[in-house]
Amino acid sequence: MLGLKLPTDPRWVNIVEKNIEEILTDHAYCEQKATSTAISLIVSFPEYTELVQEMVKLVKEEMSHFKMVHDKIIERGWILGRDRKDDYVIQLIIFFPKGGSRTTQLVHRLLYAALIEARSCERFKLLSEELEDKELADFYRSLMVSEANHYTMFLNFARQYGDREEVDKKWQDLLTYEAEIMKNLGTKETVHG
């Protein structure tokens, strides 16, 4: 369903289970960054009314997810750690060349967002199926559905605002590139790492 060309090695969950505090902190910041992305799309492309409306909803949803994750951290007696760089996103967003028309820039940003959400969804599904901590597994199962909806929303907007054939080619090329990135990740207790 997600179209990812390289699934996460299930052994990644073993790494996560050794440091649940770390994955929760990283996850909290992922939710903040998703909120920030939605706000940035509103600020950068205000003329796309339908996109703006959906991004407003997304900001609310992503911040509620941040609160849910933050509450999990507090429930376990921890505090939110500091943000750390996301090697996955840093490597991903260099794929498309900078510049181009506003529409091209928008399509590229939407495709990046779609892929990040798709990978998050895939990782959450794995956590929901493999974590020994059943309460946390259920938590990730509930969030998995939201991530899948976000992935399809971003991809559909890219196809709506760009030329469908060109967008689909870029999407396939980006998926291939992302699979190469993923070959060197999956060794850290982070959502994408």
Side-chain angles (χ1 to χ4, degrees):
M1 175 195 95
L2 298 168
L4 298 172
K5 296 188 184 283
L6 182 67
T8 297
D9 185 328
R11 291 176 294 186
W12 169 75
V13 177
N14 300 333
I15 296 166
V16 168
E17 285 187 312
K18 291 178 182 153
N19 197 344
I20 297 293
E21 185 176 2
E22 184 68 23
I23 189 81
L24 288 174
T25 293
D26 185 66
H27 180 185
Y29 283 107
C30 285
E31 299 293 355
Q32 277 193 359
K33 290 168 188 168
T35 303
S36 191
T37 295
I39 292 169
S40 175
L41 286 167
I42 293 168
V43 171
S44 299
F45 302 97
E47 68 273 25
Y48 292 91
T49 303
E50 186 182 357
L51 178 67
V52 169
Q53 292 291 334
E54 289 303 314
M55 291 304 101
V56 169
K57 291 180 201 170
L58 188 61
V59 166
K60 293 176 183 176
E61 185 178 352
E62 298 289 19
M63 279 312 293
S64 75
H65 290 173
F66 169 79
K67 181 173 179 357
M68 290 165 61
V69 178
H70 190 240
D71 288 347
K72 291 279 176 224
I73 292 169
I74 294 167
E75 285 167 16
R76 289 165 184 255
W78 301 322
I79 59 169
L80 179 65
R82 295 185 61 83
D83 188 16
R84 53 276 283 149
K85 65 181 183 165
D86 189 329
D87 292 327
Y88 170 81
V89 173
I90 290 168
Q91 291 178 57
L92 189 68
I93 62 172
I94 63 171
F95 181 71
F96 293 121
K98 299 283 185 219
S101 70
R102 282 179 55 73
T103 302
T104 298
Q105 292 173 39
L106 173 59
V107 165
H108 291 171
R109 288 178 64 182
L110 292 168
L111 291 176
Y112 286 141
L115 187 47
I116 292 166
E117 296 285 354
R119 182 57 72 181
S120 298
C121 178
E122 186 250 4
R123 288 277 173 104
F124 289 175
K125 181 176 189 294
L126 197 55
L127 291 172
S128 75
E129 293 170 348
E130 302 293 332
L131 276 176
E132 289 182 21
D133 181 330
K134 291 304 166 202
E135 185 261 339
L136 208 53
D138 289 343
F139 175 66
Y140 278 106
R141 186 171 294 107
S142 70
L143 290 178
M144 178 182 68
V145 175
S146 292
E147 301 301 308
N149 289 336
H150 300 164
Y151 144 72
T152 56
M153 175 191 64
F154 282 121
L155 187 55
N156 288 337
F157 273 131
R159 289 171 170 159
Q160 177 180 333
Y161 297 134
D163 174 74
R164 173 66 187 256
E165 192 175 312
E166 185 179 315
V167 168
D168 285 347
K169 167 131 182 32
K170 286 181 178 189
W171 176 242
Q172 289 306 312
D173 292 345
L174 183 60
L175 286 168
T176 300
Y177 173 74
E178 192 258 5
E180 287 301 313
I181 292 172
M182 292 306 295
K183 287 179 182 176
N184 298 316
L185 297 175
T187 59
K188 291 195 248 174
E189 56 283 281
T190 57
V191 173
H192 302 116

